[in-house]
Amino acid sequence: MANATARADSAIDGKMLRNAFGTFVTGITVVTTLDADGSPRGMTANSFTSVSLDPPLLLVCISKSASSHPVFTSAGRFAVNILHEDQTDISNVFASRAEDKFQSVTYSTMHTGAPVLSDCLSWFDCSTFSQADAGDHTILIGQVRAFGTTPVAPLGFCRGKYVSVKDPLPAGWLEPNGMLIGYLIEAGDRLLMRSDGKGGWVLPTAKRLRTDRQLELAGDSALSLIPENTFLYSVFDVADNDPGHLVYRARLAGDWSESTLPGDMKLFPVNDLPFDQIPTHELRSTLRRYVRERQSNQFGIYMDSGDGGRVAMIEGDLQA
């Protein structure tokens, strides 16, 4: 039996209790949201846990002493970003009182608009389901609206310091509901497509959520994009057992020519895309919508759903 440090009728020593809580090995998360002005806010937290699968719920505890506490309790949405083993610097930044914590990270938005860090172990985009007062913390319960994960090692925390987690990926484990990140990349009046190696053409895909300037592609090649001209365009599933798809629209930056492109890529005139060589109905539909919207210069964001999906229209060209 563990040594007793206080009887039930004795006052609890806060420091010793904190040390005891700290023996529970946790991961590290960065919890993010937007304030009333639309500015991103975030903080490091390790008081996080899953709650329910049906409905999909999780919780995170927000200290009442945190400067962003009022923002999180009123925003109605938040994202939980679980950090991987190479992100101790991000953990430290978001645990600090730095004025602009987002200066050193890239992020995107998914379903609710809460910031999702571009390079993290896993992320959960949530609407606030409920909240409860709990002493010096507020418990936020979020309903998961979108999520993604990667097969890398998590950043661990125990006894007040970072720890390594060995063998984090069991044999045969697959990424559940991972996301394929595709790009509609314009170069003048042409669109960049990638050969699928089977006689078909698909969109270039990236290794992770979008970066500001240099897009690292699957296959260890890279392209330079104009960062302020990169926007989310479509979110959809192909099949229940396949990963979801995120599609961004973007534009090539700097000097480029056919000879500078990766060997498996080709530029097609936007009005002459090879629809008969595009392998999936979903991608053909995305590209047909893109061609129509480009002609009218009125772009939308498509979100898949069980009743056929929704398109939110955004008027204007690719510009900030």
Side-chain angles (χ1 to χ4, degrees):
M1 180 177 179
N3 293 331
T5 59
R7 300 192 309 273
D9 58 350
S10 302
I12 295 292
D13 184 305
K15 182 178 180 180
M16 295 181 69
L17 181 61
R18 183 185 183 92
N19 290 343
F21 283 155
T23 62
F24 183 67
V25 182
T26 70
I28 297 287
T29 76
V30 169
V31 189
T32 55
T33 191
L34 297 175
D35 64 19
D37 296 327
S39 298
R41 301 289 295 272
M43 58 181 291
T44 298
N46 66 338
S47 297
F48 159 79
T49 189
S50 59
V51 173
S52 169
L53 293 178
D54 186 17
L57 303 176
L58 55 76
L59 71 78
V60 64
C61 297
I62 307 295
S63 173
K64 292 179 180 178
S65 64
S67 60
S68 55
H69 176 268
V71 178
F72 279 101
T73 55
S74 62
R77 57 188 173 180
F78 63 92
V80 178
N81 305 271
I82 301 177
L83 302 184
H84 60 67
E85 61 183 352
D86 295 323
Q87 293 183 307
T88 56
D89 54 339
I90 293 177
S91 173
N92 292 333
V93 167
F94 279 87
S96 72
R97 296 186 178 274
E99 187 171 332
D100 186 1
K101 298 178 181 179
F102 288 84
Q103 186 176 13
S104 59
V105 299
T106 58
Y107 62 91
S108 187
T109 57
M110 298 301 163
H111 183 90
T112 71
V116 173
L117 301 189
S118 299
D119 181 20
C120 59
L121 171 63
S122 298
W123 55 268
F124 305 90
D125 188 15
C126 305
S127 57
T128 301
F129 182 81
S130 65
Q131 52 185 286
D133 184 84
D136 56 8
H137 281 66
T138 295
I139 299 173
L140 286 185
I141 297 180
Q143 181 161 355
V144 179
R145 301 298 184 178
F147 70 99
T149 186
T150 58
V152 295
L155 178 62
F157 196 74
C158 184
R159 300 185 191 275
K161 62 181 181 180
Y162 299 117
V163 296
S164 297
V165 179
K166 303 297 183 183
D167 300 322
L169 198 64
W173 189 87
L174 297 176
E175 297 181 42
N177 284 32
M179 302 298 286
L180 291 179
I181 305 150
Y183 278 77
L184 291 158
I185 300 177
E186 286 187 6
D189 60 354
R190 292 183 289 175
L191 192 71
L192 190 64
M193 303 289 288
R194 178 178 62 83
S195 170
D196 66 359
K198 304 174 184 177
W201 293 95
V202 295
L203 295 180
T205 55
K207 294 180 178 180
R208 60 190 64 177
L209 297 179
R210 69 179 177 92
T211 55
D212 284 338
R213 295 185 180 276
Q214 197 74 2
L215 178 66
E216 295 182 5
L217 300 172
D220 295 327
S221 56
L223 294 172
S224 295
L225 303 182
I226 302 175
E228 59 269 23
N229 287 7
T230 304
F231 298 94
L232 180 65
Y233 186 71
S234 189
V235 182
F236 63 89
D237 288 324
V238 172
D240 289 342
N241 60 345
D242 284 338
H245 290 245
L246 296 177
V247 178
Y248 288 92
R249 55 191 179 100
R251 184 171 291 165
L252 280 179
D255 296 328
W256 51 265
S257 66
E258 294 276 4
S259 62
T260 63
L261 297 175
D264 61 346
M265 294 189 187
K266 180 179 178 180
L267 287 164
F268 289 88
V270 170
N271 294 322
D272 191 24
L273 297 178
F275 286 106
D276 58 342
Q277 297 173 283
I278 294 172
T280 66
H281 165 74
E282 289 81 6
L283 182 54
R284 289 193 297 272
S285 296
T286 297
L287 288 169
R288 287 194 173 101
R289 177 170 70 89
Y290 173 76
V291 172
R292 291 195 306 269
E293 292 179 350
R294 191 175 187 275
Q295 291 171 344
S296 62
N297 199 33
Q298 290 183 316
F299 292 96
I301 299 177
Y302 172 79
M303 294 291 181
D304 196 10
S305 65
D307 59 355
R310 298 288 185 271
V311 176
M313 297 307 298
I314 300 173
E315 188 169 347
D317 198 0
L318 286 171
Q319 54 185 316

